[in-house]
Each structure stands twice: as C-alpha cells, then as structure tokens.
Amino acid sequence: MTLSDRFSDLSPESAFEVLSAAGAREKLGRSIVHFEIGQPDIQPPAHVIEATVRALRDGKTGYAPAAGLPELREAVAQYMKRRQVPATAEQAIIAPGPKAALFAAMASVIRPGDEVLAPSVGFPAYTQITRFLDGRTTYYDLDASRHFAVRVEELERHVTPKTRVLMLNAPQNPTGGIIGRDELPAIAEFAARHDLTVITDEIYGDLQFDGDFASIAALPGMAERTIVVDGLSKNFAMTGWRLGFALVPSGQGAAFERFVTHNFSCTSTFVQVGALAALTGPFDEVAAARARYAARAQHVAGVLDALPGVSCHTPGGAFYAFPDLRELLAGTGITSRELARRALEEFDVAVLPGTAFGPGGEGFIRIAYLQPDEVLDRGLRQLAACFAAVGAGAKAGAGAGV
Ligand code: PLP
C-alpha cells in the first residue's frame, strides 16, 4: 500500500516519543523521572468518577447525538459564560478529546494554501494539522524576555493576504506563559483588521495562577470570528477520558455536527455524563490542583533560575516550565535535542527539547512539573547535574583551545 502524502508527512510528537524512550530505559531497570508528558499526577474529581460509573451501570453505553448530549452542550455554554464568553448550546460541539475538537476547528476554516499564524514555540499539532489540511504554518515568535508574551508587532510582521487563521494558546504549552486581559484587545483588533478566524486553545484555562483567565472570545465582536477549543484533559486531570469540546460561532453548530457524524459519530456517552458532572461543579478539586501547580511553578522556576547559565521565568499557568539554557549551551555545540537525550540517557530524567515546539525553541527545554515533591526535587537535582556536566564540558573544551 502506498500512503498518501498527507499521511506520510505527519511527524511524531516528541512527548510520546520521549515517553516511549524513557519506558524502554525503565525496562532495563533504570528509574526515570518523568518530566516529559503533560499528564496531571492526580485523579479526576471524585464526583466525576461516581457519575461516570453510575452512567455505565445505568446502561448509558449506546450512541449519543453526534454533537453531544443536549445537557452537556448546555453545560459547556454555561461554563463558557463563566469566562464571559456569550454562548448557546447550539454552538457547543462535544468531541472525543481536545485534539479531536482542535482538528474539527482547524478543518472548518483552513483551505489549501491558507496560512495559519501559529506561536513558536507552541503545541506541535497546530503545524501538523495545518499541513494535513494543505495549509501553511507561519510562525510568530513569543517574546521570551516578556514571559513569552504575544506581541502584535510580531503578528503584523508575519501576516499576509493569505493568512486565514490566528492560533492562540494561553496559559501556554510549553512556556507556561499567559495572555493578560489587557493584552487581548490589541490582538482582537489585529484579527478583525486582517479578517482572521481566531482559534483559541484554552485547555489550560482553569490553570491560570494569578487573576481570572480571560478569553479573546469574550471581547466585543470576537465571538463570531472565534472558535474556542477546550476539554477536560488538563483542567480536570482527565487525560485518558478523551473529552474535548469546541465553541463555534453562532449558527455553525449544524455544519460541525455533520463533520462529527462522518468522522467519529459521537463521543462516549457515559464519559459525557461524567463530563456533565465535571462542568457543573463543584470546582474545589480544580482549585486545589491549580494552587498546587502554582506553588510548584514558583519552586521549580526558583531552583532552575539559580543554576549557572540558566534562566527561568515563573510560569503564569498550565504546568510547564521552559528554562532558557542559551547561556549554558553557548559555544558547546550542544542543541536542546542533544541535551534532552543526555538528560535521559546519562542522568535518568526525561525532558522535551524546546525545538519539539517550533524553531524558536532552540536553547530551551520543557519540564512538566507533575510529580510528587520528592520525585520533582530528585529530577531537578539530576537535571542540575546534567547541566553542570554540559557546562564543565564547555569549559574543558575552551581550556584545550577547542
Ligand atoms: N492543546 C494543548 C495546548 C495541549 O497542550 C494539548 C495536550 O497536551 C492538547 C491541546 C491536546 O489535548 P489531548 O491530548 O488531551 O487531546
């Protein structure tokens, strides 16, 4: 069989690659600290598990309506209203995971040849899906000197008459950066001026540490040009449940429902019943998780920032730190990919190279701080040893006149 170009052009995702390389080393008896995968180290809220088990026992195991259970679609609309985003149930589309919602959102607007403005660094699926749809990614750099902010001047530099979509993600993977409420109007004005559709990936929306998360879809005139992508994977620690959703512009629900029908038929019915329990609260376990991640963010950034040649801003949300190792690596010839390889093979700690998230990631690594405290600290010590070895190698090289 000959694969289509679309299929054979897909690249793997680093997080899953490194996870499998780490697993292979564990089989050899090594004890690996996992900083590679964005998987919360906690269980979903207890009442969500209860509701799901009950749904299974009550026989909620058949097909559901393609776009989702009406009561869950209504709950998504209400959940969006908590973020001040105007929403009705007709606009809420349920999908088997945030990525499935993301794919539907991107497929709904990207035509062959369209350009998609995507953050570098950013979630790798944006580029992969764009290519799959015969579109073209144009990267905009995040401002590493300003906590990885989105700068409108940078967006202006890359927009062309072919640009159709602006991808936003905050709190951000991989940097932990956020987009402040006061920064959104200028970005919205840019999108409107260039007549762009905004796809805003808000799957870490409940994990912003300071201040309430603000969605660009809440700004005047933006709901009709914005698709919100969200889901339960991160906010509710429900990665394996595969429950995502999109909030699409008013009047577009039926078109998405047709896409869903021919793509995945529907999302698991009993998982949707559980999702209803998640989205209608209580939210105290989400708040507790957010507080725990916020404390870890301070700790991890503090430890990393104190290491020679390393600087690390304190993440404003999500659960990732993105230390800048450019000073450490300068003159060593070592790339972030090579550093990540050495961290795993020589120091038993799995991290992702910044370049897994776009060309702007050279000199950075991503650390998902989703481990119990003692494991987290062991991993940080092992990383510090790795950095010291790399730094010592550079000095030795310099002394030898290399
Ligand atoms: N968007 C962002 C920014 C992510 O970090 C992820 C997962 O890591 C997703 C979307 C997709 O989530 P899932 O893999 O649960 O579908």
Side-chain angles (χ1 to χ4, degrees):
M1 179 177 98
T2 309
L3 289 175
S4 69
D5 291 348
R6 281 205 183 90
F7 234 73
S8 50
D9 283 352
L10 285 171
S11 307
E13 187 177 321
S14 267
F16 289 96
E17 276 191 314
V18 177
L19 183 66
S20 123
R25 294 192 65 74
E26 279 167 334
K27 282 212 181 87
L28 298 175
R30 310 295 307 184
S31 166
I32 306 292
V33 178
H34 291 274
F35 286 156
E36 75 278 38
I37 193 107
Q39 168 130 283
D41 57 327
I42 50 173
Q43 285 298 306
H47 74 282
V48 174
I49 295 178
E50 273 314 307
T52 311
V53 170
R54 209 177 317 122
L56 266 169
R57 291 218 172 94
D58 290 350
K60 304 260 168 62
T61 55
Y63 285 125
L69 296 176
E71 55 273 36
L72 181 59
R73 296 177 76 187
E74 179 56 35
V76 167
Q78 295 304 325
Y79 182 70
M80 286 293 154
K81 283 186 194 154
R82 292 173 65 225
R83 294 182 186 165
Q84 282 89 47
V85 177
T88 64
E90 176 269 332
Q91 295 171 258
I93 306 297
I94 313 302
K99 255 184 201 159
L102 176 68
F103 188 88
M106 295 181 76
S108 74
V109 278
I110 298 171
R111 302 163 306 190
D114 281 345
E115 291 178 10
V116 175
L117 273 174
S120 173
V121 286
F123 188 54
Y126 306 152
T127 321
Q128 295 296 317
I129 297 173
T130 299
R131 193 162 58 191
F132 196 85
L133 297 168
D134 296 327
R136 219 173 71 82
T137 300
T138 317
Y139 286 115
Y140 61 90
D141 282 328
L142 300 175
D143 187 348
S145 68
R146 281 181 44 225
H147 290 201
F148 302 101
V150 176
R151 283 185 294 117
V152 173
E153 317 83 81
E154 173 66 7
L155 298 176
E156 292 286 4
R157 246 165 37 84
H158 295 288
V159 71
T160 78
K162 288 191 173 163
T163 309
R164 183 149 165 93
V165 174
L166 170 63
M167 298 294 313
L168 294 178
N169 170 219
Q172 216 238 358
N173 177 10
T175 63
I178 60 171
I179 302 177
R181 189 177 289 277
D182 53 337
E183 295 167 307
L184 285 174
I187 300 172
E189 191 277 327
F190 163 84
R193 186 154 36 82
H194 293 283
D195 195 19
L196 307 181
T197 296
V198 177
I199 299 181
T200 169
D201 179 344
E202 304 187 350
I203 83 163
Y204 301 96
D206 286 344
L207 302 179
Q208 178 169 312
F209 305 145
D210 291 320
D212 281 342
F213 171 72
S215 173
I216 197 164
L219 295 187
M222 287 309 287
E224 56 258 34
R225 62 167 70 252
T226 302
I227 303 175
V228 180
V229 172
D230 200 339
L232 305 188
S233 296
K234 315 292 179 167
N235 292 335
F236 294 87
M238 292 169 65
T239 47
W241 294 55
R242 310 315 299 137
L243 194 294
F245 46 89
L247 191 80
V248 307
S250 178
Q252 309 284 14
F256 277 76
E257 187 160 11
R258 288 194 291 277
F259 178 81
V260 165
T261 304
H262 297 299
N263 189 3
F264 42 78
S265 295
C266 69
T267 302
S268 160
T269 307
F270 52 90
V271 170
Q272 291 196 59
V273 176
L276 182 62
L279 291 185
T280 48
F283 300 104
D284 45 339
E285 290 182 54
V286 176
R290 178 170 56 239
R292 201 160 44 243
Y293 299 144
R296 280 187 199 156
Q298 295 272 353
H299 175 64
V300 170
V303 169
L304 291 169
D305 199 55
L307 299 175
V310 179
S311 80
C312 187
H313 90 102
T314 305
F319 33 58
Y320 306 111
F322 202 62
D324 180 349
L325 312 178
R326 286 176 295 185
E327 194 186 321
L328 178 81
L329 298 178
T332 63
I334 294 179
T335 61
S336 28
R337 182 164 292 277
E338 170 67 4
L339 183 99
R341 187 193 63 75
R342 285 187 63 180
L344 178 61
E345 292 181 6
E346 297 171 28
F347 296 90
D348 292 335
V349 53
V351 298
L352 297 187
T355 42
F357 300 92
E362 188 51 80
F364 295 79
I365 56 169
R366 190 192 79 171
I367 295 169
Y369 45 85
L370 295 165
Q371 300 288 345
D373 290 348
E374 70 282 3
V375 181
L376 188 69
D377 281 332
R378 177 155 56 87
L380 290 174
R381 281 195 300 277
Q382 286 164 212
L383 262 186
C386 173
F387 296 166
V390 166
K395 280 197 198 102
V402 176

